[in-house]
Amino acid sequence: MLAALFAFLHHVAAFTLAAAVAAEFLLVRDEITLKSARRLLTADLIIGLAAMVLLVVGVLRVLYFEKGPEYYAQSLTFIAKISLFVAVALLSIIPTREFVSWRNALRQRQVPIVPADKMRRIRNVIHWELIGIVAIILCAALMAKGIG
Ligand code: HEM
């Protein structure tokens, strides 16, 4: 029963993370407004919380609820999945730092002013995050089936 509960939590967090990154991707495609800037900060907070849940629940599943740490330590697809998770987490620092720097402007009800090249870079980073998440889901399916 606990194993099913943790699998459920893992899936909910994974879907939440993917949805919030996709929402960010759509929001940064258009011109930034007060409303979209606030939504980006909220989406970024959700991404951070979902990533933390994924990590904590994922580690507990590895240690106690699935095939055991020895199995995952030998799985190349598990190692690839964790490496991708770390890569996406590091990438996500770039948009997070930008969105957090908007807080003061937003408090004063001002639209943040972002140079076009910076916005393009943020868009690219979020695009790569989405690609990374798809690759993580592929690795998750492969490792669960004992491939690699
Ligand atoms: C963005 C991050 C992540 C996503 C999107 C994700 C997604 C998934 C999905 C979809 C599955 C189900 C695979 C299947 O049954 O076919 C799964 C399983 C699993 N994940 Fe994750 N995961 C993420 C991060 C992590 C992390 C950080 C860990 C561990 C530290 C982890 C550990 C596990 C374990 C142990 C399973 C069970 C595999 C099995 O049935 O043998 N995951 N994950």
Side-chain angles (χ1 to χ4, degrees):
M1 192 62 196
L2 260 186
L5 176 69
F6 276 83
F8 165 72
L9 287 176
H10 199 75
H11 281 89
V12 170
F15 283 122
T16 305
L17 180 92
V21 177
E24 274 196 351
F25 185 63
L26 292 178
L27 286 167
V28 292
R29 277 174 50 171
D30 294 326
E31 204 179 312
I32 297 300
T33 61
L34 257 187
K35 200 171 172 183
S36 69
R38 288 199 177 115
R39 284 184 172 163
L40 277 164
L41 273 167
T42 308
D44 217 53
L45 180 68
I46 292 171
I47 290 170
L49 292 175
M52 248 177 339
V53 172
L54 269 168
L55 184 62
V56 172
V57 171
V59 169
L60 290 173
R61 292 184 81 193
V62 166
L63 294 178
Y64 306 113
F65 300 116
E66 298 294 337
K67 302 173 179 90
E70 301 78 21
Y71 170 89
Y72 296 109
Q74 287 172 12
S75 162
L76 283 180
T77 40
F78 174 75
I79 294 162
K81 181 182 165 177
I82 299 305
S83 310
L84 282 164
F85 181 77
V86 172
V88 171
L90 290 176
L91 267 183
S92 76
I93 293 172
I94 298 169
T96 297
R97 283 184 59 172
E98 180 60 30
F99 302 152
V100 167
S101 76
W102 296 353
R103 274 190 188 151
N104 276 344
L106 291 178
R107 256 184 232 121
Q108 291 157 28
R109 298 181 153 270
Q110 283 167 3
V111 179
I113 297 160
V114 192
D117 61 328
K118 200 179 210 183
M119 215 52 225
R120 207 172 311 120
R121 192 162 145 243
I122 294 202
R123 226 174 278 140
N124 273 337
V125 167
I126 297 174
H127 194 201
W128 279 106
E129 283 179 41
L130 275 175
I131 293 170
I133 291 170
V134 173
I136 290 174
I137 294 171
L138 172 65
C139 289
L142 293 174
M143 81 186 201
K145 298 292 173 223
I147 299 167

